[in-house]
Amino acid sequence: VASVTGDSKMSENGPWGKVLTIDTMNPTVKKVEYAVRGPIVQRAVQIEKELREGVKKPFAEVIKANIGDAHAMGQQPITFFRQVLAMCSYPELLNDSSFPEDAKHRARRILQSCGGSSLGAYSASQGIDCVLQDVARYIERRDGGIPCNPENVYLTTGASDGIMTMLKLLVCGEDEGRTGVMISIPQYPLYSAALAELGAVQINYYLNEDKCWSMDLSELKRSLKEARRHCNPRALCIINPGNPTGQVQSRDCIEDVIRFAAKERLLLMADEVYQDNVYAEGCEFHSFKKVLFEMGPEYSDSVELVSFHSTSKCYMGECGFRGGYMEIINMDPEVKAQLNKLVSVRLCPPVPGQALMGLVVNPPQPGEPSYINFIKRSATLSALAEKARLTEEILNTVPGISCNPVQGAMYSFPSISLSKAAIEEAAENDQAPDMFYCMRLLEETGICLVPGSGFGQKDGTYHFRMTILPPMDKLKVLLTKVKEFHQRFTNQYS
């Protein structure tokens, strides 16, 4: 037995060592990766600290274009949302004459649905009742009158919480019977991280870059056929509009996907958090639910669908409130009972986020006092559309960079040509080629982007993801710096 005085051999962590070590921790957690906040971003934070300490750099600031965080990029919040949330948080403000009456009405309605008329009380696990009702009415308006039962709506801690909850319900089996989930490549790393954490099998299907990142039915069939040799594919995930690729899927494409899911008995998970972010002429957002029901009972009575939305994207950009919802269609009643049990374990989503979700789906109407402030919504979306156009236009002037139209969402995902010499030096640094490129970009210009390898891409291709969220003047600086850097980098490794 080791001496507690340290005279004999003793672990540096004490006589018995740590209970939890890198070798004894949950092995699935070690497989989790999340590029959006990975090594590039960690280095960007270090550089910001160095700049504050007076370290000389060839730039004055770090411009973070790595994440879809609109308010961090300078977008101003919608006044109406913040007024109502302020009154819900501090009800004394309901007596303040500077707040409009329609905002006061919304605040009172929310508070009346809260325990003790307080935002600080737990809500029902499924969510605040009046917000569930408002979400259901919103879905009906969006989808042209197709009914939505509030009992099929669950408020969530952002869309991510709903996605993780559904994956928990899905994953089972061992070895060749282990659950497989089809995800698009490139993908939002939440999906690969969640599947790794749950020990599920990730099934990649590739979007068609040559056709503006569209889904390809033949690719879905190829991916599924190969996966069935080693796992049990049970779900198909779609992000529309796309992250990181910015595409908007056509109605014909969505119909093809629904038919495919019906034939192959796959549950559909439709990530639709960017549904208001559609910019390109001729593009339109079609919800999977609307298309499903318009295809008739053959599909609408049988295809299992879960759709997700959030307060974090679109024109709101209220990421920090962690508000969201999911709607379930055709779920087995016994499974729904298990879902209710599962969400009850986490008690409830953050109540301020629930309140915000209720305001997003039930905004001020023309004639109400707050409507004049709400027209900021259109200005925000128009500005994003202009930035989407500018990003594509400027990046496509750079030899060696090719950028598809940013049809929707908040990102561009251009391909970059890298020379053999650059690829070899990246390997010497034990980095993926586009990670090497993005790290050099950060060190030389202060621009923080995310390498395409963090989202998945076809072998031999290289990309980066950048948001279109920075203010227009800063976005122009960013694009100019990327252009100049790429030319220098290309010349250095030619």
Side-chain angles (χ1 to χ4, degrees), residues 223-233 264-266:
S223 174
L224 182 66
K225 183 179 179 181
E226 289 187 8
R228 281 189 166 145
R229 297 172 184 166
H230 60 86
C231 69
N232 178 22
E264 302 295 347
R265 297 189 68 245
L266 297 170

Side-chain angles (χ1 to χ4, degrees), residues 74-118:
Q75 181 179 309
Q76 294 302 300
I78 299 291
T79 302
F80 171 75
F81 294 160
R82 293 302 182 87
Q83 287 177 328
V84 176
L85 291 172
M87 288 185 283
C88 286
S89 298
Y90 186 56
E92 288 293 317
L93 294 175
L94 288 163
N95 301 318
D96 191 325
S97 60
S98 64
F99 287 83
E101 284 303 317
D102 59 330
K104 290 181 178 181
H105 171 73
R106 301 298 177 85
R108 290 189 186 99
R109 180 170 175 263
I110 291 167
L111 289 172
Q112 286 167 4
S113 291
C114 293
S117 296
S118 172

Side-chain angles (χ1 to χ4, degrees), residues 7 59 211 221 238 243 307 317 393 407 429 431 466:
D7 293 335
F59 47 86
K211 295 184 178 178
K221 292 176 179 177
I238 307 99
N243 175 12
S307 303
E393 181 181 288
Q407 297 175 331
N429 285 272
Q431 291 178 329
M466 62 166 281

Side-chain angles (χ1 to χ4, degrees), residues 275-467:
Q275 57 191 256
D276 289 326
N277 297 104
V278 178
Y279 318 121
E281 190 172 337
C283 289
E284 181 182 352
F285 170 74
H286 302 278
S287 78
F288 264 78
K289 182 188 177 182
K290 184 173 190 287
V291 176
L292 174 65
F293 276 78
E294 289 178 348
M295 290 173 69
E298 178 186 357
Y299 297 99
S300 62
D301 288 349
S302 60
V303 173
E304 295 159 81
L305 168 67
V306 188
S307 303
F308 306 91
H309 195 17
S310 168
T311 62
S312 300
K313 309 302 176 184
C314 299
Y315 63 93
M316 303 84 68
E318 296 278 13
C319 304
F321 279 96
R322 310 308 299 132
Y325 74 75
M326 64 180 179
E327 182 191 14
I328 59 173
I329 304 295
N330 292 322
M331 179 175 280
D332 183 289
E334 291 185 337
V335 175
K336 189 169 186 289
Q338 294 297 315
L339 171 60
N340 292 339
K341 179 183 70 177
L342 186 59
V343 299
S344 72
V345 173
R346 56 105 160 102
L347 296 177
C348 68
V351 176
Q354 295 186 51
L356 177 60
M357 190 76 253
L359 300 174
V360 168
V361 298
N362 188 19
Q365 300 302 308
E368 291 186 306
S370 296
Y371 186 73
I372 191 167
N373 290 323
F374 193 69
I375 58 176
K376 190 190 299 182
R377 169 190 190 276
S378 298
T380 298
L381 292 172
S382 295
L384 286 170
E386 176 59 20
K387 288 189 272 191
R389 183 200 61 77
L390 180 74
T391 299
E392 176 200 351
E393 181 181 288
I394 292 180
L395 289 178
N396 279 329
T397 66
V398 186
I401 297 182
S402 177
C403 182
N404 269 316
V406 183
Q407 297 175 331
M410 298 176 171
Y411 317 96
S412 66
F413 196 71
S415 66
I416 51 176
S417 297
L418 299 179
S419 68
K420 183 180 179 183
I423 293 169
E424 288 174 350
E425 185 158 335
E428 290 171 8
N429 285 272
D430 198 26
Q431 291 178 329
D434 46 16
M435 171 65 86
F436 176 67
Y437 176 94
C438 287
M439 195 65 84
R440 283 283 301 274
L441 174 70
L442 174 63
E443 297 287 353
E444 294 182 24
T445 69
I447 303 296
C448 180
L449 307 180
V450 189
S453 49
F455 301 90
Q457 55 197 352
K458 285 190 174 179
D459 289 344
T461 68
Y462 308 104
H463 301 79
F464 60 75
R465 188 190 81 163
M466 62 166 281
T467 77

